[in-house]
Amino acid sequence: MIQNLSEHQREDLLEALAQGGQKVTPQREVVYAVLLAKRDHPTVDEVFQRARESMPGLSLATVYNCLETFVGCGLVRQVNHERESTRYCPNLAPHAHFRDESTGRVHDIELPAHVLSTLRSILPNGFETDSIEISFHGHTKNSRTHTSN
Amino acid sequence: MIQNLSEHQREDLLEALAQGGQKVTPQREVVYAVLLAKRDHPTVDEVFQRARESMPGLSLATVYNCLETFVGCGLVRQVNHERESTRYCPNLAPHAHFRDESTGRVHDIELPAHVLSTLRSILPNGFETDSIEISFHGHTKNSRTHTSN
DNA sequence: CTGAGGTTTTGAATCATTCTAAACACCCAC
DNA sequence: GTGGGTGTTTAGAATGATTCAAAACCTCAG
Ligand SMILES: [Mn+2]
Ligand SMILES: [Mn+2]
Ligand SMILES: [Zn+2]
Ligand SMILES: [Zn+2]
């Protein structure tokens, strides 16, 4: 069962939505809470399953709608890996993703500022970036129990 | 109309396929030739259209099959951008991709070895990478006519 | 010849995502 | 309070890239 949003989190949600003239709704609260509760980069369907436990009437279409809205207002990032279902991530700090091919899990990898600028530096003149996506793909050696949240 | 493969290119194809007990076929030659002819990261459908000009009976499924085979034997890379159709790239040198959101074009960005190692260095212990994908997304300022091939 | 194995072809199936249209909810003006 | 207007949610249909299944094809070794 999903925890309610903290005052602070609700504030973030409100603020992010407000700048596009959009409102906080019970559905959006639940979906956002699901993302914050377990930062394991769930798919739309996983978000749907988890959210339904708190709000049984919730529809899949609404989960799609909410997530799209969040991405639109910069509250959440989309994470794509090859041709798999899109996953969602509420971590706003600059980071890369590591996809463990044996477990299927996706881990956040912190991205230091100097790495980002090194990356930008490889672009020839005339290329103006608005986003960079970095994804690693591999295995994790044991010891990596890493219970993310 | 697609040029035939050069001796050298045919050799690469033969060799790559051989290591998996697979053979050169007319369809595979045409599909590979299409990729080499215009390195603009075509989608399956674009490859299909272009290949059909040289080989009218060719089927879409075969194009899927050939491309999967090439990816399997490391002759070609798959390029994914967000949720769009998969694109294919015969450039085997380490490189990143830049997706120009106004034209939809995908450009290769050379990836110096030191950048690659900087990237690898951000992985915590226990993470073993077998591939890294880097994609930029943005616009290109004019002057960038850059007729790739 | 003949059979085995890999390849190609067609058409159907899958499945994540998007679209459509109708029901809702909330807010403001009257 | 009543009637709209506007954004939101819902169920279900539609889409579209990709995958699958099965039959026809080829090639080559025996
Ligand atoms: Mn691998
Ligand atoms: Mn953009
Ligand atoms: Zn993340
Ligand atoms: Zn490329």
Side-chain angles (χ1 to χ4, degrees):
Chain A
M1 184 58 58
I2 297 306
Q3 210 53 205
N4 283 338
L5 293 177
S6 70
E7 255 336 298
H8 178 61
Q9 294 169 337
R10 203 165 176 295
E11 200 56 41
D12 287 348
L13 177 59
L14 186 79
E15 192 175 320
L17 288 170
Q19 80 193 42
Q22 293 170 302
K23 308 170 200 173
V24 175
T25 67
Q27 289 84 349
R28 285 173 180 164
E29 287 191 42
V30 173
V31 170
Y32 189 46
V34 163
L35 291 179
L36 294 178
K38 192 156 176 246
R39 292 148 172 275
D40 61 348
H41 304 87
T43 60
V44 173
D45 220 73
E46 288 165 341
V47 172
F48 180 48
Q49 305 303 337
R50 297 177 195 175
R52 253 205 311 203
E53 287 175 29
S54 310
M55 184 181 273
L58 183 68
S59 79
L60 179 59
T62 297
V63 176
Y64 272 100
N65 291 340
C66 292
L67 291 171
E68 185 188 21
T69 299
F70 296 162
V71 171
C73 65
L75 243 196
V76 161
R77 277 174 60 178
Q78 241 170 358
V79 180
N80 294 298
H81 252 130
E82 328 232 302
R83 300 268 88 213
E84 299 179 358
S85 305
T86 300
R87 296 173 176 278
Y88 291 83
C89 172
N91 177 356
L92 295 181
H95 65 282
H97 290 107
F98 183 99
R99 165 74 200 286
D100 182 335
E101 72 186 21
S102 23
T103 65
R105 272 205 280 251
V106 175
H107 303 270
D108 281 351
I109 305 291
E110 219 184 306
L111 200 53
H114 80 271
V115 176
L116 260 179
S117 42
T118 300
L119 268 176
R120 277 190 227 288
S121 76
I122 70 177
L123 287 173
N125 271 37
F127 287 92
E128 311 272 317
T129 311
D130 34 75
S131 68
I132 308 183
E133 226 179 274
I134 301 168
S135 51
F136 296 88
H137 167 265
H139 311 266
T140 56
K141 282 259 182 289
N142 46 15
S143 82
R144 188 129 297 289
T145 313
H146 201 330
T147 46
S148 63
N149 194 284
Chain B
M1 185 57 57
I2 297 306
Q3 209 53 208
N4 284 338
L5 293 177
S6 71
E7 252 339 294
H8 177 61
Q9 296 169 335
R10 201 161 178 298
E11 199 57 41
D12 287 348
L13 177 59
L14 185 79
E15 192 175 319
L17 288 170
Q19 81 194 45
Q22 294 170 302
K23 309 170 199 170
V24 175
T25 67
Q27 289 85 347
R28 285 173 179 163
E29 287 192 43
V30 173
V31 170
Y32 188 47
V34 164
L35 290 179
L36 293 178
K38 193 157 175 241
R39 294 149 171 272
D40 60 349
H41 304 87
T43 61
V44 174
D45 221 74
E46 288 165 342
V47 173
F48 180 48
Q49 305 305 337
R50 296 177 197 175
R52 249 199 321 198
E53 286 175 29
S54 311
M55 184 181 274
L58 183 68
S59 80
L60 179 58
T62 297
V63 175
Y64 272 99
N65 290 340
C66 292
L67 292 171
E68 185 189 20
T69 299
F70 296 163
V71 171
C73 65
L75 244 197
V76 161
R77 278 174 60 180
Q78 239 171 359
V79 180
N80 295 298
H81 253 114
E82 328 229 307
R83 301 267 86 215
E84 301 180 355
S85 305
T86 301
R87 295 175 175 277
Y88 292 84
C89 173
N91 177 357
L92 294 181
H95 65 284
H97 289 109
F98 183 99
R99 165 75 200 283
D100 182 334
E101 71 185 20
S102 25
T103 65
R105 272 205 280 249
V106 175
H107 303 271
D108 282 350
I109 305 290
E110 217 184 308
L111 199 53
H114 81 273
V115 175
L116 259 180
S117 41
T118 300
L119 268 176
R120 277 190 228 287
S121 76
I122 71 178
L123 287 174
N125 270 39
F127 287 92
E128 310 274 316
T129 312
D130 34 75
S131 69
I132 307 183
E133 226 179 273
I134 301 167
S135 51
F136 296 88
H137 168 263
H139 310 265
T140 56
K141 282 259 183 290
N142 48 14
S143 82
R144 188 131 297 290
T145 313
H146 201 333
T147 45
S148 64
N149 195 287

